[in-house]
């Protein structure tokens, strides 16, 4: 329990929360990088995955893109960017690497979510005279939402956790707390940094779960 007590002591020391190297600044950097990467990845992957699912085509493409994306080490991508012209582009290399990392779960779940919608419901909607767009918006998308949201939560948690590697190439974020702890052989700081990353990931997932439930409740109220 000694290291736990020391890590708690490090976290509850006010001086560690302020200043250029403080937790507050590192947390803001981490949220900024993770949020930007997730939003860009969602803007790229979700429309494509939903569209392919609606068409019922491109399943192999979605799966293969996901498999390739999962096989690419984020740190390797960052390393390549660091020897390219992007090395002086601030957080751009980190965000791009995290976008590539986040696309697979978003794309796969969007595609699978729409394709797993009950085909009888789709046929019934078409039989009622709905257009393709209406079927997608009123039938497929609402029924696919749980699976799509699972992909979003998975991508968000993975991005938050993986954004710590930004510190390995001199960028900011909570990873800087961990690397600084390693540099000074301060185990308590390393553990404290890891705890902060874990708590942030859990918080992000919790917020997304609550937002999804509130949205679903609002939708049900509107429908009734």
């Amino acid at each position: 329990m000694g290291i736990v007590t020391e890590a708690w002591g490090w976290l509850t020391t006010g001086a560690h929360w302020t200043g250029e190297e403080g937790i507050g600044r590192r947390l803001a950097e981490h949220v900024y990088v993770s949020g930007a990467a997730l939003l860009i990845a969602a803007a790229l992957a979700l429309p494509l995955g939903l569209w392919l699912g609606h068409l019922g085509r491109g399943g192999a493409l979605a799966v293969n893109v996901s498999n390739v994306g999962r096989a690419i080490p984020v740190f390797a991508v960052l390393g390549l960017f660091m020897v390219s012209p992007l090395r002086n582009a601030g957080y751009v290399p980190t965000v791009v690497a995290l976008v590539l990392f986040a696309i697979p779960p978003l794309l796969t779940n969007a595609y699978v979510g729409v394709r797993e919608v009950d085909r009888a419901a789709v046929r019934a909607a078409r039989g009622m005279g709905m257009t393709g767009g209406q079927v997608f918006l009123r039938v497929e998308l609402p029924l696919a939402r749980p699976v799509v949201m699972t992909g979003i939560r998975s991508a968000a948690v993975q991005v938050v956790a993986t954004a710590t590697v930004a510190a390995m190439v001199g960028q900011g974020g909570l990873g800087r707390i961990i690397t600084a702890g390693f540099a000074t052989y301060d185990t308590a700081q390393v553990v404290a940094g890891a705890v902060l990353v874990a708590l942030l990931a859990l918080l992000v997932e919790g917020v997304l779960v609550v937002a999804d439930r509130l949205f679903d409740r609002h939708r049900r109220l509107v429908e009734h």
Side-chain angles (χ1 to χ4, degrees):
M1 296 295 291
I3 188 59
V4 174
T5 303
E6 291 177 11
W8 175 253
W10 194 94
L11 286 171
T12 54
T13 300
H16 293 154
W17 287 83
T18 58
E20 291 293 319
E21 303 293 328
I23 295 173
R25 180 180 176 84
R26 296 309 182 196
L27 179 61
E29 293 170 343
H30 205 99
V31 171
Y32 169 75
V33 172
S34 300
L38 185 62
L39 288 175
I40 294 172
L44 294 173
L46 291 182
L48 178 60
L50 294 171
W51 179 63
L52 292 176
H54 174 69
L55 294 179
R57 303 170 185 170
L61 172 63
V63 172
N64 288 333
V65 168
S66 297
N67 289 337
V68 170
R70 290 190 177 98
I72 300 175
V74 175
F75 188 69
V77 175
L78 277 175
L80 291 175
F81 283 145
M82 287 301 103
V83 295
S84 74
L86 288 176
R87 65 182 180 275
N88 297 319
Y91 286 108
V92 172
T94 301
V95 171
V96 172
L98 291 175
V99 166
L100 295 176
F101 186 66
I103 283 178
L106 293 170
L107 179 62
T108 300
N109 280 55
Y111 173 81
V112 171
V114 175
R115 290 312 302 159
E116 287 187 347
V117 170
D118 188 354
R119 292 299 100 186
V122 174
R123 289 192 295 270
R126 294 188 184 279
M128 294 170 61
M130 288 188 183
T131 64
Q134 290 174 326
V135 170
F136 173 73
L137 291 175
R138 299 181 183 180
V139 179
E140 291 178 327
L141 189 57
L143 294 177
R145 182 182 54 80
V147 178
V148 175
M149 283 303 302
T150 298
I152 293 174
R153 293 199 305 270
S154 175
V157 171
Q158 291 178 25
V159 166
V160 169
T162 309
T164 55
V165 303
M168 304 297 290
V169 292
Q171 297 297 321
L174 293 174
R176 288 291 291 272
I177 295 175
I178 298 174
T179 55
F182 275 121
T184 58
Y185 302 98
D186 189 342
T187 305
Q189 182 174 343
V190 173
V191 173
V195 168
L196 288 170
V197 174
L199 289 177
L200 179 59
L202 291 173
L203 176 62
V204 168
E205 182 169 19
V207 169
L208 290 174
V209 169
V210 172
D212 184 38
R213 290 178 179 175
L214 290 175
F215 175 82
D216 186 52
R217 183 181 302 174
H218 175 73
R219 181 180 63 83
R220 292 176 185 273
L221 289 174
V222 171
E223 290 178 350
H224 291 82

